Each structure stands twice: as C-alpha cells, then as structure tokens.
Amino acid sequence: MIFKSLRAGRYVHQFWSKSTLFLDCICGLGYSVISSSMKEIKVKDASPMCTLAPDTEPRIQSSSSVSEDRKCSSISVKSTPEIEKKYVHHVYDAIAPHFSSTRFAKWPKVAAFLESLPTGSLILDAGCGNGKYLGLNSSCYFIGCDISPSLIKICADRGHEVLVADAVNLPYRTNFGDAAISIAVLHHLSTENRRKKAIEELVRVVKKGGLVLITVWAVEQEDKSLLTKWTPLTERYLEEWIGPGSPRVRGPSSFTLESIPETEENGLGGHPKDSRVSLTENMQQSSRSTPQNEDDSMVSRDGKSQQEYFVPWHLPYHRAEVSGASAGALANGLAKKDDKKGAVVYNRYYHVFGEGELERLVSGMDNAVIVDKFYDKSNWCIILEKTLEG
Amino acid sequence: MRLLTHNMLSSNIKGVTNGFPLKIQVEKVVEKQVEINHDFLRNIFPKIDWKAFSDASRIMGYDEMPEEPPEPSVLELNVEFLGKFHHALLELHLEEGALLCPETGRKFPVNKGIPNMLLLEDKV
C-alpha cells in the first residue's frame, strides 16, 4: 500500500522532468485501448495536438455548507437539482460536438496518473465527457460514463466502452474497478452533499488499494481575468434554485441574468489557446505550490468567497444551426444570441472549489485516505486510496 | 456493451437490495476483434462473477464458457481457453437490446451498444 502511494506520488513528480517529451506523445492518444491498432491510431489523431488548452478553466471558493445541508435534507441526494439539469446536462447535450472539438488536449497530470497504474488495470472514468482520457494507457482497460447521451455517443463513435449514467449514483458493483478518475466533474454538482456522494461512489466502485484521482476547478484561478467573464450567482438566486422551496419548473421570463460577459475563452473560431508556454512556466513551479489566493474580486461584500458561477459557452452560429437543441434553448430562454460574437451563448453552472475543500469533503470517509493532493493549472486535485472493502 | 461491462453493472434503483446481475434481452449482437491483453485477463478473472458471465455469454449466443468457474491456473496453462475467455469478455457486444433489473424488472435500453442506466427522479 505504501509502495503504491509512493509510486503514484513519485510518478507525478517524475512526470515533470520528462514532460516535454511526454507532451509530444500524449496528445495523440485518443482512442481505445487494448485494441490492436494503437500505432495507426496515434498517427491518425496526432495532428491537432500540442496545444494543451486548459482542459479545465477553473475558478472560485467555498461557501455555506451547513445551511446547504439543511436545505437539501428533504430531497434525495441522488435526485438531480433543476439547476444541474438546465445549466449542466442540457447545455452539454446541446454543445456536445463543439465542446468535444475543443477538448482534445490531455492534461499531463491526469495522463501521468493513468500511466502510473499497473498493466492490466480496469479504470473507470465517471463523467468522461468526450472520452479523451479513455484508452490513454494502452495496457489498461477503460469504461467511461457520463450523464450526457450526446457526449457518450461521441465516445462510442470513437470505439470506447461507455454508458450513460449519473456519477452521483453509479450503476456499478462495489469493489470492481482497479482505479477511478473524476476529471472536472464535481464542480458541476450544486450541493455539498452531492459532491460528497459522488466521491463516495468513486471510492465504492474501486477495489481495496485502488486509487481515485479527482480534479476540480479552483477558486484560485491563475488567469484572474477569467473571473470577470463569469456571472456570479447570488445568494438569492441559489436559494431559489437549490433551496427547499425551489421551483421545479420555472418560466424563462422570470429569470434574467444581468449580463453575459464577453469571453474568448472557449475557442470561438476553433483556436484553442496555445498554452505550451504557460505550461512550461508551471512546470518550473513545484507541483504542490499553492496559489496566491483571495483576489478581492472573488470575495463578496459579506466576506464569503464567491463560489457559484455561470460560465458562458459560445456556440458559433454555424454550429448552432446544425443543432436542433439550440433552437429549443433559445426559445425557452436557456440560451441567448450574441450577434457581435456570432454565437449562441449558453451558461454552465459551476461550483468552484476553495483550497482545502476537497480534503474537507473526504475527511469523514472511513474507507479511503488521501495519498496526494496538489494544485495545478487552476485545478485542485487529490488522489485517494481505498483502504477498506465496501 | 461488452460482457465485461455487464459483469460490472448493477441496478441502482432505490430500494433494490441485489441489482446484480442484470438480465439481458438480446436484439442484436456484434463481434469486434481486439488484441488480447494477458495481464488484464489475469487481473480481471478473480473479479468476474462466473455464473453471471457464463449465463450472459450463452444468452449472447456463445456456448464455450463452462458453467462452473474454472481454476485460475487455467489462464496460465490453457491458451485455447484464454482466447475464448477473451472473446466472450471483450469481443462480444450487445449492440441492441436491453438490461433488466433482476428485482423490479425495470428496463434499461441498450442502443447502438450504449446502455442507458439513468433513472427517473422517483427511482433514485
């Protein structure tokens, strides 16, 4: 066990020293798995690589867990709140092909973790999105799931073994997997109980001794200007959507956000930012470095950090036209047009994590321990090891 | 959906105490060849619920998996068996059909090889 933990930790560090080389190889591995044709596949998928677009564009900090617990007590933790259905699930379903086209770069830390796992492992990816990490270690076997059928279809078309399922309620046997990953998923869950439950599920489905890697967007963003492009959700807003009396159905007319800030962030025009330079800079820092936090703009007047946001996604008109979902979204107020940008703008719900928040979520768990934790590229990350069966 | 996945899936409907194994309704099975990975087969073998696996392989039209679980040593000694185990576990796909909860009978559709395991709100 100790050996394994060391191994996982060491790998992460080793990774940086050879990361230049690594960058050159990892971006190409998109496809599946035990399959015979890894070589051909690499070639096939190798062209668009080398821009390590931030896979994740993280952001914000922790809030009122106690009142949150109380708010949710009457509703099953596994029951999906309306805000997640409308501002996570529906959005990803509508933007899936465009989202996927901007999500090909593999995050080095995740790749390093996957590569560190023993040959022949069964790796479960809960919230796999477009499946870019499935098959990343060709000696292992991957099964992915996501709640968005549109994203899962993209994975299946690429030959991955996937299913549609909810990360808060995995339809898996206990102790079956050898390792699990949750990459940029938990920040889309709108209550602390649900975020905690999703972690419990990841631990439940791996074997004793199995490792679980979790990454989430951080409040403490490296690029602070990103924050200005997001729409902070007010206390009152959250109360309405997540609170006990939250309307399960609500007309679009009563819901108006003040503004949808301008942003270039999601690769409008299909040019993900080349982040090689910033990546190199990051590599020179310790992987465990803690960011300077608490930019004033993140803290609301009452002193609490703002952690709940809408983060815009710009779906260019030429893509929106081919997607029937966008017409519906525009009609019912879930998306709006931005003629200046030539895009349909969707909002995605995010709860960004503060420093220590992931650790706090797992602190009460008696069947797993934290074997590594780090901040990297505006994400908080932990690696857990399951210590007891069940 | 491969039989490996079937051997892992379990109905997670509220109140169900034993959601495994899901019953398979077959409409269409396809075969897709993949390279054999001995380490993976050795690793996964002890975790496989053999009865569920051999029953599922027969439902999928493949009769080569014995009803009784073989000794683990067979993986080292019997190359022919290893190939068949690999085939049943990873190369047979339920392309169209459904998975049924063994307790409630709730049907989870499988279309284009993708099981949809989402539940309605009142079932979580």
Side-chain angles (χ1 to χ4, degrees):
Chain A
M1 224 154 61
I2 291 171
F3 169 74
K4 261 200 188 156
S5 314
L6 288 174
R7 184 167 183 248
R10 194 182 63 214
Y11 203 94
V12 170
H13 292 298
Q14 277 178 351
F15 167 74
W16 291 111
S17 59
K18 54 181 179 186
S19 54
T20 308
L21 244 185
F22 194 56
L23 281 183
D24 287 335
C25 355
I26 56 167
C27 302
L29 301 177
Y31 292 68
S32 202
V33 179
I34 307 175
S35 120
S36 50
S37 48
M38 281 309 286
K39 277 184 190 163
E40 287 166 36
I41 284 162
K42 269 194 213 172
V43 173
K44 196 160 107 193
D45 198 31
S47 51
M49 61 177 273
C50 302
T51 52
L52 280 182
D55 159 75
T56 44
E57 318 117 42
R59 191 10 100 198
I60 322 183
Q61 159 117 39
S62 94
S63 59
S64 47
S65 56
V66 175
S67 62
E68 195 174 70
D69 286 350
R70 198 172 56 233
K71 279 188 264 183
C72 302
S73 58
S74 59
I75 306 166
S76 164
V77 66
K78 294 175 182 173
S79 181
T80 309
E82 206 64 17
I83 192 170
E84 291 175 36
K85 286 186 196 165
K86 292 196 171 183
Y87 297 101
V88 181
H89 307 172
H90 289 180
V91 175
Y92 280 108
D93 273 339
I95 68 174
H98 181 235
F99 174 80
S100 180
S101 72
T102 65
R103 289 296 180 277
F104 49 83
K106 319 295 187 286
W107 195 35
K109 294 274 190 176
V110 179
F113 173 80
L114 294 175
E115 291 290 347
S116 74
L117 297 171
T119 301
S121 294
L122 176 63
I123 303 169
L124 307 176
D125 187 346
C128 65
N130 69 338
K132 68 180 186 175
Y133 293 111
L134 302 175
L136 202 56
N137 180 339
S138 61
S139 76
C140 294
Y141 193 89
F142 290 74
I143 298 176
C145 74
D146 201 283
I147 204 160
S148 163
S150 307
L151 286 170
I152 282 300
K153 182 177 181 306
I154 290 171
C155 300
D157 288 346
R158 293 173 174 180
H160 297 304
E161 181 76 355
V162 285
L163 56 135
V164 179
D166 187 347
V168 181
N169 191 18
L170 290 172
Y172 298 168
R173 281 210 271 151
T174 301
N175 304 321
F176 197 79
D178 294 306
I181 59 173
S182 166
I183 309 304
V185 176
L186 296 191
H187 51 226
H188 284 315
L189 300 175
S190 60
T191 72
E192 180 157 314
N193 280 343
R194 286 171 59 75
R195 296 187 281 271
K196 198 183 281 181
K197 181 68 187 170
I199 298 177
E200 288 167 3
E201 281 290 84
L202 290 162
V203 171
R204 178 183 70 79
V205 299
V206 300
K207 67 180 181 184
K208 181 182 171 185
L211 298 179
V212 175
L213 169 66
I214 299 169
T215 80
V216 293
W217 283 16
V219 172
E220 301 85 356
Q221 289 292 296
E222 287 173 5
D223 178 1
K224 303 246 187 295
S225 71
L226 268 182
L227 293 177
T228 63
K229 297 168 180 168
W230 299 353
T231 307
L233 302 181
T234 64
E235 195 72 17
R236 181 173 155 272
Y237 179 87
L238 290 169
E239 193 68 37
E240 284 183 46
W241 277 96
I242 304 177
S246 72
R248 306 305 268 169
V249 180
R250 181 172 172 173
S253 54
S254 61
F255 161 51
T256 326
L257 280 176
E258 288 184 2
S259 66
I260 293 178
E262 306 277 304
T263 174
E264 235 90 58
E265 119 215 26
N266 56 27
L268 246 195
H271 299 295
K273 197 164 43 175
D274 184 340
S275 55
R276 267 202 165 198
V277 174
S278 60
L279 190 70
T280 310
E281 287 167 4
N282 289 343
M283 283 188 278
Q284 287 159 2
Q285 303 169 357
S286 154
S287 66
R288 284 157 200 273
S289 68
T290 299
Q292 304 288 319
N293 52 359
E294 297 319 308
D295 184 303
D296 285 345
S297 67
M298 298 175 198
V299 181
S300 62
R301 262 177 242 146
D302 61 4
K304 266 193 234 158
S305 286
Q306 176 73 40
Q307 288 189 266
E308 317 295 323
Y309 286 90
F310 273 164
V311 177
W313 183 271
H314 291 83
L315 185 64
Y317 284 160
H318 68 273
R319 283 190 173 269
E321 281 164 12
V322 300
S323 162
S326 289
L330 285 168
N332 65 23
L334 285 179
K336 44 168 84 173
K337 285 184 166 184
D338 181 337
D339 285 330
K340 246 165 64 184
K341 297 249 176 214
V344 175
V345 185
Y346 284 88
N347 276 312
R348 292 172 293 161
Y349 167 80
Y350 276 79
H351 165 90
V352 288
F353 281 65
E355 181 175 7
E357 188 175 347
L358 272 177
E359 291 93 312
R360 188 162 50 77
L361 282 181
V362 303
S363 61
M365 293 179 64
D366 56 5
N367 60 344
V369 294
I370 298 172
V371 295
D372 200 2
K373 54 186 172 183
F374 50 95
Y375 172 88
D376 186 65
K377 291 178 71 64
S378 303
N379 285 262
W380 290 112
C381 316
I382 54 172
I383 297 175
L384 304 174
E385 178 174 339
K386 184 167 181 175
T387 51
L388 293 170
E389 288 205 348
Chain B
M1 185 202 68
R2 294 170 159 126
L3 290 189
L4 167 67
T5 306
H6 173 258
N7 213 269
M8 177 179 74
L9 289 180
S10 180
S11 168
N12 54 359
I13 296 171
K14 189 177 173 183
V16 167
T17 53
N18 189 5
F20 180 86
L22 295 161
K23 287 180 195 158
I24 299 178
Q25 273 184 359
V26 177
E27 283 175 35
K28 185 181 173 191
V29 174
V30 297
E31 295 185 14
K32 297 178 193 169
Q33 284 198 343
V34 289
E35 191 172 284
I36 196 161
N37 179 331
H38 293 90
D39 288 331
F40 177 72
L41 295 176
R42 265 184 227 112
N43 175 45
I44 203 71
F45 180 80
K47 294 187 196 179
I48 293 294
D49 180 298
W50 194 266
K51 182 166 185 340
F53 174 61
S54 68
D55 286 352
S57 66
R58 263 185 297 284
I59 290 166
M60 299 273 280
Y62 187 71
D63 293 332
E64 301 286 333
M65 290 295 100
E67 288 189 31
E68 292 302 312
E71 291 299 314
S73 61
V74 76
L75 293 176
E76 313 301 330
L77 304 172
N78 188 335
V79 177
E80 191 188 346
F81 172 80
L82 199 63
K84 287 177 178 174
F85 175 51
H86 163 77
H87 177 70
L89 191 69
L90 299 171
E91 295 187 327
L92 293 178
H93 292 251
L94 181 64
E95 185 71 4
E96 297 291 336
L99 302 169
L100 272 57
C101 170
E103 283 190 16
T104 66
R106 160 71 151 88
K107 193 188 268 197
F108 300 97
V110 178
N111 299 123
K112 295 182 176 167
I114 304 170
N116 187 329
M117 302 299 293
L118 292 182
L119 303 170
L120 295 173
E121 285 300 300
D122 60 339
K123 296 293 195 298
V124 299

